[in-house]
């Protein structure tokens, strides 16, 4: 029985689904009468027992453990000598030099650093980068070629930093913990090593890779951002509150009252096309998606198809990005601080195939609000809205590594996903009180019942001759003769 399907990243492929059915049948034969078996999905890891039906569902949702090629925990009996040899052949992964991986990262970040200046006039050929970017490129290249210590061939300075920072993020190390271990490693290495002494200096080395963030000062009362035309002001023109905290006169730096972090979206979208790993997948929805009226991806839905018909110029280039925005507030400190609320805002590129577009690697945080914005989240959304408007109207020149040419990348937000309270903050429509229904709007039917507001009138959506329209005692004591509420246009809702 071939088990190559386990390595298939597309869990919607027929090969993968057929492989799951083969595994389920094998488990039934080897465990007759059993209602529960060990689940070999990546989350359960053969440590939890589930019903056979749930095991099949988990394998589709989470995928099977890639190294579980011999199903010995489910009854497979294989000769040890042959199985060990087979596993060696099937599970051999290419050995990649970490230094080569880091050089690949630099090439992705600066795909046309060495472009010939004579080609600058051509529209679809990448133009040379400016002097500041080239200086960053040279610094990264120097650190990538510099040995961690004299005689070290396995790690360069940049490779060591990337590996350590990757471990910090993967295992959720605090900055203090990272500083401690970095100091220990530095003392272990020869005295003339080039390892940074702490997290701050390691970040400075990686700064040239881009994808940083901007700090934007905000009014203490959430009136406005000190941004663009208000960037030079020291007081809020709406409430006259000071931009900075009151500090000692001897202090040289001013401390802002409130700060938001904005992570520009354009370079993150551009990076998707500058990387060989994702440039081709960003066209998957147009070139590789199977159109068989089965809903596997947002591109199979009516909203996507209607958008293509409404904006054919945007839909003509499959590299234009369809985005979804999502946000919600959460408390980092639990019961230790009941009043704290952090609001991140994420963007999801739906051009990617379904087995990638929802992965955390492709979630792009665009805004980080470190305090509860209250009803003024629209104030903090302004930089993102401005950038999204520019991406829709003008786009941004982007290098497509899969074709080796430049193109104008445009983007559109097609969906927002929130829970009901966050929906009120983002949309501006209150979800509390007697007018809370965002569908009925001003024509809502609501009343006070059982010490809370209840929303009635749901029979208005039934067919005109439905029997429930005539029943009164089973509902609120009235028959229902009204039509369903009218649908509002986008302009009316915005107004």
């Amino acid at each position: 029985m071939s088990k190559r399907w386990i390595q298939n990243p597309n869990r919607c492929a027929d090969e993968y689904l057929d492989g799951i059915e083969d595994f389920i049948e094998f488990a039934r034969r080897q465990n007759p009468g059993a209602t529960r078996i060990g689940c070999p999905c990546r989350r359960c890891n053969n440590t939890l027992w589930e019903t056979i039906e749930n095991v099949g569902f988990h394998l589709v949702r989470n995928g099977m453990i890639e190294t579980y090629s011999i199903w010995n925990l489910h009854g497979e009996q294989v000769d040890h000598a042959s199985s060990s040899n087979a596993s060696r052949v099937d599970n051999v992964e290419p050995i990649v030099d970490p230094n080569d991986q880091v050089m690949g990262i630099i090439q992705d970040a600066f795909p046309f650093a060495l472009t010939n200046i004579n080609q600058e006039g051509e529209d679809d050929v990448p133009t040379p980068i400016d002097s500041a970017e080239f200086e960053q490129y040279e610094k990264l290249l120097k650190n990538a070629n510099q040995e961690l210590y004299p005689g070290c061939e396995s790690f360069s300075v940049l490779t060591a930093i990337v590996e350590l920072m990757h471990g910090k993020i993967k295992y959720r190390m605090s900055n203090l913990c990272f500083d401690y271990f970095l100091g220990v490693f530095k003392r272990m290495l020869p005295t003339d090593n080039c390892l940074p002494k702490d997290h701050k200096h390691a970040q400075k080395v990686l700064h040239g890779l881009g994808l940083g963030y901007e700090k934007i000062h905000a009014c203490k009362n959430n009136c406005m951002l000190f941004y663009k035309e208000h960037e030079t002001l020291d007081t809020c023109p709406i409430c006259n509150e000071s931009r900075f905290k009151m500090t000692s006169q001897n202090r040289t730096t001013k401390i802002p009252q409130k700060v938001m972090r904005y992570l520009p979206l354009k370079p993150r979208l551009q990076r998707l096309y500058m990387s060989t790993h994702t440039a081709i997948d960003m066209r998957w929805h147009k070139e590789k998606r199977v159109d068989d009226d089965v809903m596997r991806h947002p591109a199979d839905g009516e909203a996507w198809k209607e958008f293509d018909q409404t904006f054919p110029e945007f839909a003509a280039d499959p590299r234009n990005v369809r985005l979804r925005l999502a946000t919600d507030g959460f408390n980092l400190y639990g019961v230790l601080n009941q009043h704290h609320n952090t609001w991140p805002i994420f963007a999801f590129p739906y051009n990617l195939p379904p087995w990638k577009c929802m992965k955390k690697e492709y979630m792009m945080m665009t805004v980080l609000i470190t305090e509860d914005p209250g009803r003024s989240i629209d104030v903090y959304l302004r930089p993102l809205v401005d950038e999204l408007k520019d991406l829709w109207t003008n786009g941004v020149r982007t290098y497509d590594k899969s074709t080796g040419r430049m193109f104008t990348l445009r983007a559109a937000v097609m969906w927002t996903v929130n829970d009901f309270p966050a929906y009120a903050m983002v949309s501006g429509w209150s979800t509390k009180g007697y007018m809370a229904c965002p569908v009925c709007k001003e024509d809502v039917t609501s009343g006070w019942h059982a010490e809370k507001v209840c929303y009635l009138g749901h029979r208005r959506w039934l067919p005109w001759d439905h029997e429930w329209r005539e029943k009164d005692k089973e509902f609120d004591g009235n028959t229902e003769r009204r039509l369903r509420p009218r649908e509002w246009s986008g302009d009316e809702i915005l107004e």
Side-chain angles (χ1 to χ4, degrees), residues 20-30 52:
I20 291 176
E21 291 183 4
D22 292 340
F23 170 78
I24 295 296
E25 289 299 321
F26 174 82
R28 288 184 192 274
R29 289 196 307 269
Q30 297 295 324
I52 294 179

Side-chain angles (χ1 to χ4, degrees), residues 94-104 153-156 159 163:
I95 299 175
V96 181
D97 186 355
N99 293 315
D100 292 340
Q101 286 184 318
V102 167
M103 290 300 297
E153 298 180 356
S154 54
F155 283 96
S156 67
T159 304
E163 291 277 357

Side-chain angles (χ1 to χ4, degrees), residues 265-319:
L265 186 60
K266 289 179 183 176
R268 285 162 173 79
L269 295 179
Q270 287 176 312
R271 189 63 58 91
L272 292 173
Y273 286 101
M274 292 179 184
S275 171
T276 54
H277 303 290
T278 53
I280 297 176
D281 283 338
M282 288 295 286
R283 302 194 303 269
W284 174 91
H285 66 97
K286 185 73 172 180
E287 298 177 355
K288 296 184 179 180
R289 179 177 61 89
V290 179
D291 191 3
D292 56 358
D293 294 329
V294 177
M295 186 70 176
R296 302 186 185 92
H297 186 272
D300 297 315
E302 293 181 5
W304 190 293
K305 296 174 182 177
E306 184 176 348
F307 185 88
D308 286 352
Q309 294 174 359
T310 308
F311 304 102
E313 182 183 353
F314 183 93
D317 191 343
R319 295 174 294 189

Side-chain angles (χ1 to χ4, degrees), residues 314-365:
F314 183 93
D317 191 343
R319 295 174 294 189
N320 289 330
V321 184
R322 325 289 179 104
L323 295 171
R324 185 198 93 188
L325 296 182
T327 183
D328 200 4
F330 65 97
N331 191 340
L332 293 171
Y333 306 105
V335 297
L336 298 178
N337 189 343
Q338 295 285 355
H339 302 289
H340 182 84
N341 222 356
T342 294
W343 285 76
I345 299 175
F346 293 96
F348 298 79
Y350 273 161
N351 292 42
L352 294 168
W355 56 90
K356 283 188 175 182
C357 65
M358 296 303 295
K359 294 292 186 181
K360 64 181 180 180
E361 292 84 358
Y362 301 100
M363 292 170 55
M364 302 177 186
M365 183 188 293

